[in-house]
Amino acid sequence: MIDEILKRAENGKKLDNEELFQLFSVNNAEDLKKLCETASNIRNKYSKTIKLTSTVHITNKCQVQPRCKYCGFAAKTSRDGYYNAFYKTDDEIRQAAKSIEEARVPRVSCSGGHGYKGKQAVHAAEIVKGETNLELLINVGADLTENSTNKLAELNTDTVCCNLESTNEAIFNNVKPGETLQDRIDVCNQVCDAGIELSSGLLLGIGESDEDRLNHLLFLNQFKTLGEIPIMGFNPYKDTPMENHPACPLDLQLKMVAITRIMYPKIRITVPTPTIGPKNVEYSLNAGANNLATVIAKNYPLEVKGVGSPTYGNLEEVVSVIESLGLTPQYL
Ligand code: SF4
């Protein structure tokens, strides 16, 4: 039944909402396989190169209160997370960025908690863009003013990420009671106005419906510099208010990667290795993803706890999976 729709998608036809909705209702292994094959064929038509993104966590001190219910990143939220508060020194950021460059990983994500009006982000950008050749993604959520966003643009920051997580406001308010959806949308617009590429993603498995997911993907189309969509599956972090909430099934994450690829053929689709689980990276690539995040090389000097789960992907293992699928890892 979905064969005709997939054929149209592979031939470059734009699917209408009804057709897209039928793809959301895929619920058996055979159709999911077809959906993923179509999506990876579409990705391969444009490029078989897979980007790798490493990470520097600037600080886990976050002023958002109440805490996001799923957060295991901020200080004292989870015994499986960082738990103790930290704020990386300039030297720690510098050494981590240099180690990423030495490992020839082309891109780094610098992320951190709220409460600094973007100063922590600007400072990290000065170090990374001033002292390395790395591409830089900044993710400090909605903690950016117009002034700090413009400074990030002046520093040639390649991408700023502000995830909306869910555009269903009731769900957003439930899982992020210390923030507002509108603040995050405003920051997305601010990033676009500053002329910086926007990354904005979905957190799956937090109570949203297929309709919410489709509406969210359609909503993102309004952002004129949108260049990247992270697809993140919820994982419960111990000790958090959502520790007993079920993890997002892998099939749902793959279906969403594939549908996002069909809707946005040329966009960078990011799968963080902590949220998909390092052993599942292969499936996400087979569903049309083309960026793997939180990829850590052996020479990395700092402790890393993935955002979304404490695990992460090891560079050597991730590269061997990419190559085994006939794809090309992008090196610096
Ligand atoms: S998820 Fe981010 S914004 Fe929310 S409490 Fe944790 S660190 Fe702060």
Side-chain angles (χ1 to χ4, degrees), residues 60 62-64 66-68 70-74 112-114 176 179 184:
N60 69 343
C62 178
Q63 285 184 1
V64 167
R67 295 265 188 247
C68 304
Y70 53 83
C71 180
F73 176 79
H114 283 210
K176 294 178 81 69
E179 287 198 69
R184 286 200 165 233

Side-chain angles (χ1 to χ4, degrees), residues 105-326:
V105 174
R107 188 175 191 237
V108 62
S109 158
C110 290
S111 57
H114 283 210
Y116 311 89
K117 299 192 170 111
K119 282 192 189 139
Q120 80 288 43
V122 170
H123 197 59
E126 280 167 350
I127 296 172
V128 172
K129 292 310 272 186
E131 301 182 34
T132 75
N133 291 314
L134 294 170
E135 289 170 49
L136 172 65
L137 175 144
I138 289 286
N139 183 356
V140 291
D143 193 33
L144 288 171
T145 60
E146 198 180 327
N147 190 26
S148 54
T149 309
N150 289 336
K151 280 201 183 128
L152 289 175
E154 282 164 27
L155 289 164
N156 295 321
T157 301
D158 301 274
T159 310
V160 172
C161 181
C162 183
N163 294 317
L164 300 180
E165 319 295 10
S166 174
T167 50
N168 177 323
E169 206 161 358
I171 288 172
F172 183 101
N173 291 340
N174 178 42
V175 298
K176 294 178 81 69
E179 287 198 69
T180 72
L181 178 59
Q182 192 57 52
D183 278 351
R184 286 200 165 233
I185 293 170
D186 290 348
V187 166
C188 289
N189 281 318
Q190 209 170 269
V191 171
C192 293
D193 291 345
I196 309 176
E197 180 187 77
L198 174 69
S199 168
S200 187
L202 292 77
L203 180 59
L204 303 172
I206 52 171
E208 77 289 353
S209 65
D210 281 343
E211 199 179 355
D212 293 330
R213 294 169 191 139
L214 177 57
N215 287 339
H216 190 158
L217 285 174
L218 293 167
F219 186 84
L220 291 176
N221 201 29
Q222 71 185 281
F223 297 116
K224 55 184 187 294
T225 66
L226 182 75
E228 173 169 337
I229 303 179
I231 301 291
M232 302 162 288
F234 167 79
N235 280 290
Y237 243 120
K238 198 200 261 177
D239 308 326
T240 64
M242 289 175 79
E243 72 172 333
N244 294 319
H245 188 95
C248 175
L250 178 63
D251 282 7
L252 174 59
Q253 297 180 59
L254 300 179
K255 186 161 65 169
M256 286 299 293
V257 170
I259 292 173
T260 305
R261 174 59 63 211
I262 286 170
M263 290 176 74
Y264 293 92
K266 295 184 190 169
I267 211 147
R268 190 180 314 113
I269 298 180
T270 299
V271 172
T273 59
T275 57
I276 192 98
K279 66 183 186 314
N280 295 322
V281 157
E282 173 183 353
Y283 304 112
S284 68
L285 293 171
N286 280 337
N290 60 345
N291 177 33
L292 298 172
T294 322
V295 172
I296 307 296
K298 277 192 193 134
N299 65 341
Y300 194 81
L302 304 169
E303 184 196 25
V304 179
K305 298 280 186 184
V307 175
S309 98
T311 58
Y312 56 80
N314 164 272
L315 174 65
E316 287 75 11
E317 285 163 21
V318 162
V319 163
S320 100
V321 170
I322 294 171
E323 289 176 341
S324 74
L325 299 176

